[in-house]
Amino acid sequence: TGLAKSEGEIKAHLEALLESTNNKLEGFERLSNIVITYSPWTPESGVLTPTLKIKRNVVENQYNEFIMKLEKDDNKVLVCQ
């Protein structure tokens, strides 16, 4: 098997991983979605604090379009380019 996979294969694998992970968790611990971004989340990019905490307001502003798409569609895995 080669390392190269189509986006559809990767999404299918991540959906299966999400489901199997959620089956092991309590209801309040479960994940609703997986979001893949091409830009790194670092303090230099402004998404993380120097202590590596997520700046929620920055994420919400930068990814609002994708957040709205997640809420509208029934996608479990979303790729943000």
Side-chain angles (χ1 to χ4, degrees), residues 18-80:
L18 179 64
E19 185 176 338
S20 83
T21 300
N22 280 340
N23 287 337
K24 300 172 191 168
L25 300 174
E26 297 295 325
F28 65 92
E29 298 175 306
R30 292 189 177 132
L31 303 168
S32 57
N33 305 89
I34 295 176
V35 178
I36 307 295
T37 66
Y38 283 96
S39 56
W41 288 18
T42 64
E44 293 76 24
S45 70
V47 179
L48 299 179
T49 68
T51 57
L52 304 181
K53 294 182 179 98
I54 296 173
K55 294 181 179 178
R56 292 180 186 269
N57 62 329
V58 173
V59 170
E60 288 172 357
N61 289 334
Q62 278 187 334
Y63 296 98
N64 185 50
E65 158 190 352
F66 300 105
I67 293 168
M68 299 303 288
K69 184 177 172 104
L70 275 174
E71 291 174 357
K72 185 179 121 187
D73 297 342
D74 193 28
N75 293 328
K76 295 293 180 196
V77 176
L78 183 67
V79 179
C80 303

